[in-house]
């Protein structure tokens, strides 16, 4: 085992290398945040994590290999000081890092976010010295430590829904000399005991802006969060809260995604074949391929969020070549099947899911494919709408 003194020496060297790399790759270069990255020992916050193997298992699932200092010191420390998100938990199950096991598939439920994104979020939130800050999603505590190093612990409150995660983060934070206010709490409800806040920054995503966050932000204060949904479309927004309790802000660019707040996670929908069996036999041709919202491109990433706004309760899955849309709330469903170079649509139920998405795609094309920065989110009592000068208002799920 590597002696603690040597481990710290190695960590300092790798931390300096990572800091230079972040600066060269246009991570926020404000000196205070750069110094914070140099100072905070990320490796202490990630004693164990998972990295994907080069193989998949017999069922096609990703194989996740546990990485700790005891298993592979070099790999562990190098990954800790790479600009990479490190998965620390799947499906809410806390690993035993003294005897870790390989994982096959699963949904990540906790991680240490890649440092460049952490810096980007803190910079975009426009935090100034003296601002009181609520961080939603403590996770490993690394991003909390950066905020404490840059702004001081006294004005930082961080909440985490997973008690065991918070306990581990608190131990490392306090061991490193950081003393923010920490609490086990659901980010959906913010944290009233420390409110009001000048800034709220969420490291998880929500289907809708929680009303409690608006109520806990001072007039003129700002909320930075990621909106997501059951189609796994994402958009980031920086909202400014008004004196009347409403909020408004433009969407931000980029393709950032975060794990959903656990209370906003998508429900199970069962067997797609059962839903498809209840659809009408008659089909029609659609002018839009489903790949427009499922491709691994920045435009598809943006379009998926817009489409999701039109069908907020829909989920999408592909079985073979058939794309299924399933809405467990209304009981609606649709299938898209490739045929002769075209896509055939069958849909049924109260909501014609693909027809609604087609409407969004048609409007988007007619408006010359506007980017996310041209959309404004308006949040008001009882609702929220995404608006664009050339597109009809898109209602998001009610808060």
């Amino acid at each position: 085992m590597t002696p603690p003194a040597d481990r710290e020496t190695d960590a300092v060297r790798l931390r300096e290398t990572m800091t230079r790399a972040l600066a060269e790759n246009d991570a926020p270069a404000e000196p205070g945040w750069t110094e914070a990255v140099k100072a905070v020992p990320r490796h202490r916050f990630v004693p164990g994590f998972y990295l994907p193997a080069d193989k998949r298992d017999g069922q096609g699932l990703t194989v996740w290999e546990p990485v700790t200092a005891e298993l592979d010191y070099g790999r562990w420390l190098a990954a800790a000081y790479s600009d990479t998100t490190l998965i620390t938990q799947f499906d809410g199950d806390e690993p035993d890092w003294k005897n870790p096991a390989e994982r096959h598939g699963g949904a990540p439920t906790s991680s240490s976010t890649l440092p460049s994104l952490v810096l980007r979020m803190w910079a975009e939130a426009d935090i100034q010295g003296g601002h009181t800050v609520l961080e939603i999603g403590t996770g490993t505590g690394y991003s909390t430590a950066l905020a404490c190093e840059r702004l001081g612990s006294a004005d930082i409150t961080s909440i985490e829904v997973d008690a065991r995660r918070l306990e581990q983060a608190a131990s490392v934070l306090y061991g490193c000399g950081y003393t923010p206010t920490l609490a086990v709490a659901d980010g959906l409800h913010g944290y009233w005991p420390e409110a009001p806040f000048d800034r709220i920054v969420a490291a998880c995503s929500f289907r809708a802006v929680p009303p409690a966050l608006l109520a806990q932000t001072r007039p003129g204060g700002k909320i930075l969060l990621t909106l997501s949904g059951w189609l796994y479309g994402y958009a980031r927004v920086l909202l400014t809260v008004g004196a009347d309790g409403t909020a408004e802000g433009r969407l931000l660019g980029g393709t950032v995604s975060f794990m959903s707040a656990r209370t906003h996670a998508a429900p199970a929908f069962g067997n797609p074949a059962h839903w498809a069996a209840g659809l009408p036999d008659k089909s029609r041709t659609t002018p839009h391929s489903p790949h427009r919202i499922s491709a691994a491109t920045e435009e598809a990433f943006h379009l998926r969020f817009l489409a999701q706004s039109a069908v907020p309760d829909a989920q999408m899955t592909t079985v073979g070549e058939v794309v299924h849309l399933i809405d467990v709330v209304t009981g609606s469903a649709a299938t898209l099947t490739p045929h002769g170079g075209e896509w055939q649509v069958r849909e049924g139920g109260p909501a014609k899911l693909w027809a609604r998405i087609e409407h969004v795609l048609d409007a988007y094309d007619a408006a010359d494919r506007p980017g996310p920065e041209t959309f404004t989110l308006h949040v008001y009592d009882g609702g929220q709408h995404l608006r664009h000068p050339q597109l009809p208002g898109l209602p998001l799920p009610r808060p």
Side-chain angles (χ1 to χ4, degrees):
M1 180 179 292
T2 305
D6 291 346
R7 183 176 297 187
E8 293 305 316
T9 299
D10 292 341
V12 169
R13 175 177 52 82
L14 289 173
R15 195 153 60 244
E16 291 176 349
T17 300
M18 183 179 75
T19 303
R20 288 195 299 271
L22 290 173
E24 291 169 359
N25 291 323
D26 297 323
E30 198 272 328
W33 289 112
T34 302
E35 291 304 311
V37 173
K38 285 183 181 179
V40 175
R42 191 188 188 204
H43 67 285
R44 296 192 192 178
F45 292 89
V46 286
F49 47 84
Y50 294 96
L51 292 177
D54 295 331
K55 61 182 179 180
R56 288 180 176 266
D57 68 10
Q59 295 180 312
L61 298 175
T62 299
V63 176
W64 294 92
E65 297 175 338
V67 181
T68 67
E70 289 70 27
L71 290 172
D72 189 333
Y73 171 75
R75 187 186 189 196
W76 166 75
L77 196 61
Y81 288 106
S82 65
D83 191 28
T84 305
T85 292
L86 304 174
I87 306 299
T88 55
Q89 186 192 78
F90 286 91
D91 302 319
D93 298 329
E94 193 62 33
D96 176 7
W97 290 116
K98 294 181 179 179
N99 187 30
E102 190 175 79
R103 297 278 312 203
H104 290 235
T109 48
S110 190
S111 68
S112 176
T113 303
L114 66 161
S116 62
L117 177 54
V118 174
L119 293 183
R120 181 175 163 191
M121 288 179 60
W122 287 127
E124 287 175 338
D126 188 28
I127 301 172
Q128 306 298 323
H131 280 163
T132 54
V133 180
L134 172 65
E135 177 191 39
I136 297 174
T138 312
T140 65
Y142 176 66
S143 63
T144 316
L146 289 176
C148 291
E149 181 70 32
R150 172 67 180 86
L151 304 165
S153 298
D155 292 327
I156 307 297
T157 298
S158 186
I159 60 175
E160 168 63 48
V161 71
D162 187 319
R164 292 187 65 183
R165 288 275 85 205
L166 188 69
E167 181 181 7
Q168 293 181 28
S171 176
V172 183
L173 283 164
Y174 296 153
C176 291
Y178 303 119
T179 57
T181 299
L182 301 174
V184 177
D186 189 333
L188 190 66
H189 306 293
Y191 197 62
W192 285 102
E194 295 295 317
F197 300 99
D198 296 299
R199 297 290 187 271
I200 295 179
V201 178
C204 61
S205 63
F206 296 96
R207 296 186 73 208
V209 181
L213 302 190
L214 271 64
Q216 293 174 32
T217 304
R218 286 192 178 93
K222 298 182 180 181
I223 302 172
L224 177 68
L225 51 72
T226 300
L227 294 170
S228 67
W230 297 345
L231 285 183
Y232 298 102
Y234 296 86
R236 293 182 309 127
V237 63
L238 180 62
L239 295 166
T240 299
V241 178
D244 60 355
T246 63
E248 180 178 314
R250 287 190 179 276
L251 300 189
L252 304 175
T255 56
V256 171
S257 61
F258 277 106
M259 299 172 193
S260 296
R262 297 191 186 184
T263 46
H264 279 191
F269 52 74
N271 187 337
H274 296 166
W275 292 83
L279 296 176
D281 292 332
K282 185 177 181 180
S283 65
R284 63 178 178 85
T285 301
T286 174
H288 299 289
S289 163
H291 295 153
R292 290 200 65 185
I293 63 172
S294 65
T297 65
E298 191 165 333
E299 183 181 56
F301 187 94
H302 172 48
L303 266 177
R304 189 156 58 251
F305 179 75
L306 299 182
Q308 176 181 278
S309 301
V311 288
D313 298 321
Q315 297 179 65
M316 182 169 60
T317 188
T318 301
V319 180
E321 293 185 309
V322 180
V323 177
H324 296 257
L325 289 166
I326 297 167
D327 182 338
V328 301
V329 177
T330 66
S332 304
T335 61
L336 291 95
T337 305
H339 180 72
E342 297 180 322
W343 287 88
Q344 296 296 314
V345 181
R346 296 164 58 217
E347 51 192 341
K352 299 299 182 280
L353 301 177
W354 188 249
R356 291 187 180 185
I357 292 175
E358 284 176 325
H359 179 69
V360 171
L361 296 176
D362 288 340
Y364 172 79
D365 290 341
D368 199 24
R369 301 185 172 188
E373 301 91 341
T374 62
F375 289 81
T376 302
L377 180 66
H378 299 260
V379 186
Y380 50 90
D381 183 26
Q384 49 190 358
H385 271 74
L386 194 62
R387 294 198 171 97
H388 184 277
Q390 296 173 270
L391 290 170
L394 295 170
L396 275 69
R398 292 178 65 85

